[in-house]
Amino acid sequence: MGSFAKAERLLARLQALGEVGALPGGGVCRLALSQADGAGRDLVCGWMRAAGLDVIVDGIGNIFGTRPGTQPGPSVMIGSHIDTVATGGIYDGNLGVLAGLEVVEALDDAGIATLKPITVAAFTNEEGARFAPDMLGSLVHVGGLDLGTALDIVSIDGARLGDELAAISYAGTAPLGAIRAAAYLEYHIEQGPVLEAEGTDIGVVEGVQGISWTEVTLSGRSSHAGATPMRLRHDAGLAAARIAAGVGEIVRGIGGDMVGTVGSLKLSPGLVNVIAEKAVLTVDLRHPDEATLRQAEAKLAALIATVAAAETVTASTRTLARFEPVAFDKALVGSVEATARALGLSTRRLYSGAGHDAQMLARTCPAAMIFVPSVDGLSHNVRELTQPGDIANGLDVLATLALDLAGRANAAVVGISRANAATGETTDSNANLKES
Ligand code: HGY
Ligand code: MN
Ligand code: MN
């Protein structure tokens, strides 16, 4: 059945963008505001401009490409991100941005004018892997973090965000919030095992679980690994290991949907025969229920205090990200579901385990997400893969729903020019402009 959009061009662009920052052996590394991210941005902006979109960049580097509608006013926004983690795949985020581009180009190909503008958005630093917090660009876009504070954030490699943004020439001049969205759609891979395990085509995302990122710094005293009796040690390494193990116990103790991750753990001086004087580790806790997430955070704080006392080290913590669970607009979620089913696709509702820009846009307009299956439930892994047929399914849902939301301004005519897209007039004199 399908839609007016076709997956071939989208699949080719996913591969082409995946070449930017490609890792030997597969996967991609385009950490936010790196040179590779800059090159990826240049490629996507080039495609947007070639498609005739009006491209603007705001002060945090968010990119917006707009196809005009016949009526001025808020856009139907289709967005996601093109930055990746260091061992990322070619689909996470990129799929949503490039599918949005495909939708607007397919509208052109079909000669369809829309009432509302359609804007394709690529938000800065969604991953948060290099600069915390995650979903930073969309958070600034919706006014959840002021620009000055964001520009002064320092990365895990010691760089200032504003300097890195300028270094890749994406410190834009467009005012924040310049593009207002009437509705926001984000098409994304599930990044988990649910859809594949159930053989379901489309995930109808009801919301995003709460996220809590904490950086824990433990300070002890370095001394000789052999000559120092255990009773005299201030071993930051042992304390960090005990906390990391304790996170697993807390999470398993709460059970259910609770997840917790110690993704980064650095010891210094980090030598085989030196008791670590310093340890810095990150703890990522998530749960769909805010009260349960807070319970886990309280247990973590108690664990840190207990271990620090037992190992006679000092502990300090810094919150890197903290977002409460977000429920998407019920009516729009229902439209995702109805659109998918009308296309003959199977659906199931679920909450997103991963964070997404949609959870920020949801603060300002109805937002919803479309998920497609991840092979082996893998993401944030160079083996990330979603099958072409699944990508086509999600694109059909996105394209159909986006057109519904934007409203059709004309019957399909041949040869609509970019200049006339805003009026719905045709350049093809033979075309019969039928009332739509
Ligand atoms: O961390 C996340 O959930 C997302 O990948 N930024
Ligand atoms: Mn993502
Ligand atoms: Mn991600």
Side-chain angles (χ1 to χ4, degrees), residues 24-392:
V28 63
C29 175
R30 285 200 308 275
L31 287 170
L33 310 184
S34 61
Q35 288 302 312
D37 183 27
R41 288 163 167 263
D42 293 345
L43 182 61
V44 171
C45 286
W47 285 333
M48 286 183 170
R49 291 191 176 97
L53 301 188
D54 173 27
V55 179
I56 64 171
V57 180
D58 70 13
I60 196 66
N62 294 323
I63 299 164
F64 301 95
T66 299
R67 179 183 194 260
T70 56
Q71 294 170 353
S75 290
V76 171
M77 189 178 285
I78 303 172
S80 198
H81 61 96
I82 61 170
D83 64 305
T84 75
V85 295
T87 54
I90 67 170
Y91 305 92
D92 176 0
N94 304 301
L95 175 62
V97 175
L98 296 181
L101 183 57
E102 174 54 33
V103 167
V104 296
E105 291 200 87
L107 286 169
D108 277 356
D109 297 346
I112 298 173
T114 58
L115 297 171
K116 290 186 176 67
I118 295 180
T119 295
V120 182
F123 291 104
T124 294
N125 187 47
E126 185 280 341
E127 290 295 357
R130 186 183 181 209
F131 298 94
D134 52 353
M135 288 78 73
L136 177 82
S138 50
L139 180 65
V140 171
H141 170 73
V142 300
L145 181 64
D146 79 83
L147 182 58
T149 303
L151 294 173
D152 284 338
I153 289 171
V154 176
S155 66
I156 56 173
D157 46 26
R160 177 179 169 274
L161 191 149
D163 299 341
E164 295 295 277
L165 195 58
I168 60 170
S169 307
Y170 277 90
T173 54
L176 296 176
I179 304 285
R180 283 184 306 122
Y184 178 82
L185 296 176
E186 184 161 357
Y187 172 24
H188 207 286
I189 54 174
E190 178 204 334
Q191 302 181 287
V194 174
L195 296 178
E196 183 186 52
E198 297 178 354
T200 303
D201 297 321
I202 298 293
V204 178
V205 189
E206 297 188 289
V208 180
Q209 65 179 344
I211 300 175
S212 166
W213 287 359
T214 305
E215 178 189 76
V216 183
T217 301
L218 302 161
S219 303
R221 186 180 67 187
S222 60
S223 60
H224 197 291
T228 311
M230 293 309 284
R231 59 185 168 78
L232 297 182
R233 294 184 178 210
H234 307 278
D235 186 344
L238 178 55
R242 288 184 59 181
I243 290 170
V247 167
E249 286 162 22
I250 289 171
V251 169
R252 291 190 172 108
I254 292 173
D257 294 322
M258 189 76 224
V259 291
T261 311
V262 174
S264 171
L265 195 166
K266 296 188 177 95
L267 302 183
S268 59
L271 301 170
V272 62
N273 58 356
V274 181
I275 296 168
E277 68 175 346
K278 186 176 177 187
V280 181
L281 65 149
T282 58
V283 183
D284 177 325
L285 298 172
R286 307 202 196 193
H287 197 279
D289 173 67
E290 175 64 12
T292 307
L293 185 54
R294 286 187 187 176
Q295 183 194 359
E297 288 175 317
K299 289 176 181 289
L300 173 63
L303 168 70
I304 293 166
T306 302
V307 169
E311 299 300 336
T312 57
V313 299
T314 59
S316 64
T317 60
R318 180 164 72 102
T319 299
L320 298 178
R322 183 61 171 91
F323 300 119
E324 294 192 3
V326 171
F328 289 139
D329 178 84
K330 289 192 182 340
L332 192 54
V333 170
S335 299
V336 169
E337 188 171 60
T339 303
R341 288 182 176 172
L343 287 164
L345 299 169
S346 58
T347 65
R348 72 102 81 199
R349 290 179 173 231
L350 76 171
Y351 251 67
S352 174
H356 298 287
D357 294 309
Q359 70 189 87
M360 301 305 172
L361 273 292
R363 300 185 186 189
T364 61
C365 70
M369 295 190 73
I370 302 158
F371 273 2
V372 285
S374 291
V375 172
D376 294 337
L378 275 185
S379 181
H380 288 191
N381 181 305
V382 296
R383 286 178 47 228
E384 181 182 277
L385 173 65
T386 291
Q387 299 296 1
D390 289 325
I391 287 177

